[in-house]
Amino acid sequence: MATNPPHNPDIELIFLGTGTSGSLPNVSCLTAPEDGDKPPCHTCLSTLRPEGKKNIRRNTSAVMRIDGKDGRKRTIVIDVGKNFHAAAIEWFPKYGLRHIDAVLITHAHADAMNGLDDLRGWTLRGAIQRYIDVYASQATYDEVERAFPYMVSKKFASGGGDVPEFKWHIYDDKVPFEIEGSGIEFTPLIVEHGQYFSSEPVPASSPTPVGLMTPIPSGANTPNLASPAPQISSLFLPPAAPAAPAKKEPYMCFGFKIQESIVYLSDVSRIPESSWEVLERPIVDGKPAPPFGAVILDCLRPVAHISHFGIGEAADHARKIGGTRTYLIGFGHEISHEEYVRIGEVVGGKELDEESLSPGERKCIDILKEHPGKDVWLRPSHDGLRLLVRPDGTVEDSTYDT
């Protein structure tokens, strides 16, 4: 019996945000006196000029357009952080984006989920669509329910009751899921993203310190997932005696394998051994499948951070994953876009004149000497960068191919 070939379309990916949780530029830099102890940095100051636009970086986020198996194009967003609304205003009109078929949330930090409320601009009174499908892990869903109960059940709304409308889906580690009816497959893989700094449970949410408001009698976003009304928590009780120091547990985040074409790892300090099986290339007709076209990989700064890769770790993992191209994401302000471009050229085998190096470039290159390996294509992403990733592992983009 003949079987249908796997659905494996081209993927268009646009970076909506490529900066760390605080975004760039830093207000502390732009307001620092030139003659102070900490004068403004080159990266942040460059954003005041047109040539420094690539150093303006919002919270990490991406949007993809992919043809479904039914021929209808789907628009899928990964993460909606604190400045998602500003990113959408800038990039959705430019690239002809409007309807959102799915939102995927990698973890429950503010720079990944605090823009969920902005999605009311799509669903309120059916402005663009009636609801948005949101995909999250159980842990992330639970945190949304704790922090923003009205996002999982409209009866907890307050004020005027204008809230976004979602249909929630829970994904599990290493279990592929399909965006409904599209044939487009995502495989979540768990990664470490720093650690917890307390073993104490997070206090329950409370809308007001004087008591609960009467729930608004309206429909629920997802009725079968609604929880009881939040109660007044221990936030208003005297603090308990400090507990004995406990072992710090890793904070877990998710990345995604998208079809067999893209790996997306925006917030990672370590990839557990068990997650590497997701990144192994399958055997097709007795031969390894083509490499991933694009690997999108965390890199906060030159030196590794407790919750993010540094340049050395990023280069190591780019080599190990083995994509055609690796695009770095999640930058702080220590190194500018232009400097990262030159550093990427070094990772690719180019030799630079020592006399031409900036202090930041020299620091990164010294670190890379401690992380030797084969030459690979590696470049910094930037907000608004557009990729076209094909199933044969080839990639074109709007900056480095012009």
Side-chain angles (χ1 to χ4, degrees):
M1 179 184 294
T3 59
N4 293 326
H7 182 61
N8 207 11
D10 294 349
I11 300 176
E12 177 189 16
L13 183 145
I14 299 158
F15 290 93
L16 299 177
T18 58
T20 187
S21 55
S23 308
L24 295 182
N26 285 6
V27 67
S28 59
C29 272
L30 294 187
T31 59
E34 293 280 355
D35 57 353
D37 294 337
K38 292 184 177 180
C41 75
H42 161 73
T43 301
C44 291
L45 277 183
S46 74
T47 65
L48 302 177
R49 304 184 299 272
E51 60 269 23
K53 181 174 174 58
K54 290 185 176 68
N55 288 316
I56 299 175
R57 301 184 183 274
R58 300 186 177 103
N59 298 154
T60 53
S61 177
V63 59
M64 289 159 286
R65 272 192 293 215
I66 313 174
D67 286 329
K69 62 185 179 182
D70 56 1
R72 184 169 71 83
K73 198 175 289 290
R74 304 304 202 279
T75 297
I76 303 162
V77 175
I78 300 181
D79 284 340
V80 286
K82 297 178 291 183
N83 39 36
F84 169 74
H85 182 261
I89 286 174
E90 180 168 7
W91 302 116
F92 271 51
K94 176 173 180 177
Y95 288 109
L97 297 161
R98 180 172 167 84
H99 186 278
I100 296 175
D101 294 280
V103 170
L104 282 57
I105 306 296
T106 58
H107 64 300
H109 283 169
D111 59 340
M113 74 173 199
N114 273 26
L116 280 169
D117 187 79
D118 292 328
L119 295 172
R120 70 171 71 185
W122 278 256
T123 66
L124 193 60
R125 289 179 283 279
I128 295 175
Q129 56 201 88
R130 290 193 303 110
Y131 65 89
I132 295 176
D133 289 279
V134 181
Y135 295 75
S137 68
Q138 185 66 56
T140 294
Y141 173 83
D142 290 346
E143 180 60 16
V144 173
E145 184 179 43
R146 184 196 71 82
F148 306 109
Y150 68 90
M151 289 192 192
V152 301
S153 182
K154 289 171 67 175
K155 69 181 180 180
F156 297 126
S158 57
D162 289 343
V163 299
E165 189 76 45
F166 299 140
K167 180 179 179 182
W168 288 91
H169 307 262
I170 304 300
Y171 62 70
D172 294 311
D173 183 33
K174 295 189 284 292
V175 178
F177 64 88
E178 177 182 326
I179 303 302
E180 292 191 337
S182 68
I184 301 165
E185 187 175 276
F186 288 76
T187 305
L189 64 151
I190 204 163
V191 297
E192 293 181 16
H193 177 34
Q195 64 185 33
Y196 288 96
F197 287 88
S198 174
S199 59
E200 296 179 19
V202 178
S205 62
S206 177
T208 169
V210 296
L212 292 172
M213 299 181 68
T214 303
I216 293 176
S218 62
N221 285 345
T222 312
N224 62 322
L225 292 178
S227 66
Q231 301 298 313
I232 297 297
S233 74
S234 58
L235 280 172
F236 309 106
L237 299 177
K247 178 184 176 183
K248 299 255 190 329
E249 296 295 327
Y251 179 84
M252 309 310 287
C253 175
F254 280 89
F256 297 102
K257 179 176 72 171
I258 304 163
Q259 298 285 104
E260 290 291 340
S261 299
I262 295 175
V263 174
Y264 187 91
L265 298 169
S266 61
D267 291 89
V268 54
S269 54
R270 177 179 173 271
I271 301 177
E273 197 61 38
S274 61
S275 291
W276 281 101
E277 65 185 70
V278 176
L279 303 176
E280 293 177 355
R281 304 308 292 137
I283 302 300
V284 179
D285 297 329
K287 299 178 182 179
F292 294 112
V295 176
I296 297 161
L297 197 56
D298 185 8
C299 180
L300 175 67
R301 62 187 190 185
V303 178
H305 184 268
I306 192 171
S307 57
H308 295 280
F309 285 161
I311 188 63
E313 293 73 23
D316 288 342
H317 286 79
R319 295 179 181 116
K320 186 171 181 178
I321 297 171
T324 303
R325 294 186 177 187
T326 296
Y327 294 88
L328 302 182
I329 193 172
F331 302 105
H333 67 154
E334 292 85 352
I335 305 293
S336 72
H337 178 84
E338 295 75 16
E339 289 171 317
Y340 271 121
V341 170
R342 283 162 57 84
I343 293 160
E345 291 173 345
V346 170
V347 176
K350 183 176 181 178
E351 293 187 6
L352 300 180
D353 177 15
E354 284 282 334
E355 296 297 320
S356 71
L357 298 178
S358 69
E361 290 169 343
R362 186 172 289 108
K363 181 175 184 177
C364 287
I365 290 170
D366 287 343
I367 291 170
L368 287 167
K369 290 175 182 177
E370 301 172 6
H371 296 262
K374 64 181 180 181
D375 297 342
V376 292
W377 194 100
L378 182 147
R379 294 292 187 275
S381 62
H382 63 82
D383 292 21
L385 175 64
R386 175 183 174 272
L387 314 183
L388 182 61
V389 185
R390 297 189 172 89
D392 64 1
T394 59
V395 185
E396 297 176 10
D397 71 51
S398 58
T399 292
Y400 301 110
D401 289 315
T402 57

